[in-house]
Amino acid sequence: MSFKDHILSSFIALENEVETNNYVHKLRGEALKDFENLGIPQRKEEAYKYTSLKSLFNKDYSLFPKKETSIDYGDIKKYLVHQIDAYRIIFIDGIYSSHLSQTTHDKFDVCLMSSALNNPKYASVIENYYNKLATKDGLTSLNAAFAKEGAYIHIGKNIAVEKPIEIVYFSTGNEAEMMTQPRNLVVVGENSQVQVIERHQSLSDNAVLTNCVTEIYAAKRALVDWYKIQNDKLSASLIDHTFAEQKDNSEVRIHTFSFGGKVTRNNLSFYQRGEHCNSVLNGVTIIEGKQHVDHSTLVHHTAPNCESFQEYKQIFDERAVGVFNGKVLVDKIAQKINAYQQNNNILVSDTSTINAKPQLEIFADDVRCSHGCTIGQLDEEALFYMQARGIPKKEARALLMFAFANSVLETVKIPEIKSRITKLIAMKLGVEIGFDL
């Protein structure tokens, strides 16, 4: 059975499990038709020229877990940022785990997508925001057709959420091959602030494919600070689509740290729909072996007097492959834009690869936009200098790589996250570093 046939038969099973007489299920039917027409993106498409998804979709994935699995806090503690108090939304094989989570409906809503989809209380928010921002392609349509669970975060006006929100999706490996379709919706009201930590983590070596879609709406003067920690097992692959819409004077920052997984594709799309917006897209990638990480970014400036800042630092070893496709689009009306995009890469071995394509499309005449890309190796003179002062070569290389990534780490606003990322980088480089950058 082909993957497409498997999807169509599985959709019939889904209809027996979910509420079919509502707004979202009508979208599901339309999305399924879109998936039938569009299919899985192919390498002949420019956006996927350097990333083949063929090997990911030739498996007989289970789309629904056959049984619920109970795991204890001790089994997952090391994957959580447990040093800080946080709201937590924890999923096990796509199913919400109430005893591991801490949600709230007090001054704002941090809860489940399934609750929001089936509760009339949230109907207006769902109808105004759900699936309104995600662009239509085969994979986002596939998610829209099958998504039934994820995080729902709705923050009203003038609220600074006092602690971070941690969203973690665990896969237990009870299915030999499993595909999950998380869906997150985040709506942040005027003058409000929130920090979010997101992670997808396998607990076994069985094959897992995650096709995730997140929509973020930042109202006037809102601040969203989002951290994606991607350090999964080599049997797991992630296709992540994150869309952000910004209104006047809002700021959205997304930091992506990619260290693990077999194939990781990050699609980040920002739409500035108000003046004096600021968009920040930062990333650190360190991979080796046959790992593949693809960052595809878009910042669309549709209003004047806005800024965007992109900085991606990437290190590739052995036969690892990286892709960076960054695009800044400035509409004619969007005068006085300040847009910066930088992608710096280090190829540690002669067999590693980076395919970079920074792009600027500018239709306004009063802007300041720049982009740059560098591809090189470690500075041999600096390496020799450090060795001459008694630092072993392995540690010297690690220190140079830490320094290389430091400008991105400096943008991390949560100290515990900064410490966690520092330790993950040290582990990837195979050294112990006794300080936090």
Side-chain angles (χ1 to χ4, degrees), residues 6-194:
H6 179 43
I7 288 297
L8 296 178
S9 61
S10 298
F11 188 78
I12 297 174
L14 175 69
E15 289 188 304
N16 295 325
E17 296 185 10
V18 298
E19 174 62 47
T20 58
N21 189 27
N22 61 20
Y23 166 78
V24 171
H25 194 69
K26 294 177 181 178
L27 293 181
R28 285 196 182 102
E30 296 171 1
L32 183 67
K33 293 178 181 178
D34 291 333
F35 172 74
E36 285 187 81
N37 295 328
L38 297 169
I40 302 300
Q42 305 294 318
R43 293 190 68 168
K44 62 183 179 181
E45 300 176 36
E46 184 64 26
Y48 285 84
K49 183 177 180 180
Y50 300 108
T51 299
S52 173
L53 302 180
K54 185 177 180 180
S55 64
L56 301 184
F57 290 93
N58 62 1
K59 302 181 186 297
D60 186 21
Y61 291 110
S62 171
L63 299 180
F64 315 108
K66 295 182 175 62
K67 60 179 180 179
E68 292 189 31
T69 303
S70 177
I71 62 176
D72 297 324
Y73 178 74
D75 298 326
I76 64 172
K77 180 180 177 181
K78 66 180 181 180
Y79 301 112
L80 304 175
V81 188
H82 52 83
Q83 302 93 335
I84 58 176
D85 186 22
Y87 296 106
R88 289 196 173 98
I89 312 177
I90 308 296
F91 300 92
I92 310 298
D93 291 334
I95 299 174
Y96 173 65
S97 174
S98 59
H99 76 283
L100 295 173
S101 302
Q102 179 191 353
T103 59
T104 182
H105 295 282
D106 188 10
K107 298 178 182 179
F108 46 87
D109 294 304
V110 177
C111 63
L112 308 182
M113 182 63 76
S114 58
S115 298
L117 295 181
N118 298 312
N119 191 331
K121 174 184 175 182
Y122 305 112
S124 61
V125 176
I126 294 297
E127 292 187 16
N128 286 331
Y129 295 103
Y130 185 87
N131 209 44
K132 293 293 195 298
L133 190 55
T135 55
K136 186 185 299 184
D137 69 10
L139 294 173
T140 56
S141 297
L142 179 61
N143 177 280
F146 281 86
K148 61 178 182 177
E149 197 56 284
Y152 174 86
I153 301 170
H154 184 208
I155 301 166
K157 296 181 179 181
N158 306 312
I159 297 174
V161 180
E162 70 276 12
K163 54 187 181 181
I165 301 169
E166 195 167 7
I167 308 168
V168 189
Y169 296 89
F170 289 103
S171 300
T172 63
N174 282 342
E175 308 289 339
E177 299 168 332
M178 186 168 185
M179 183 176 183
T180 60
Q181 315 262 5
R183 186 78 181 216
N184 305 313
L185 177 62
V186 181
V187 181
V188 183
E190 293 182 14
N191 304 304
S192 294
Q193 301 179 22
V194 66

Side-chain angles (χ1 to χ4, degrees), residues 47 51 76 120 142 153 156 198-199 212 218 223 235 244 257-258 268 302 306-307 333 335 391 423:
T51 299
I76 64 172
L142 179 61
I153 301 170
E198 177 190 5
R199 183 163 187 165
C212 182
L223 171 61
S235 55
F257 300 98
S258 303
L268 285 181
T302 67
C306 294
E307 296 186 349
I333 194 176
Q335 302 292 338
I391 302 176
K423 292 175 182 177

Side-chain angles (χ1 to χ4, degrees), residues 412-424:
V412 176
K413 303 300 183 182
I414 304 175
E416 293 81 2
I417 291 291
K418 188 175 181 180
S419 177
R420 172 67 64 92
I421 298 302
T422 300
K423 292 175 182 177
L424 288 175

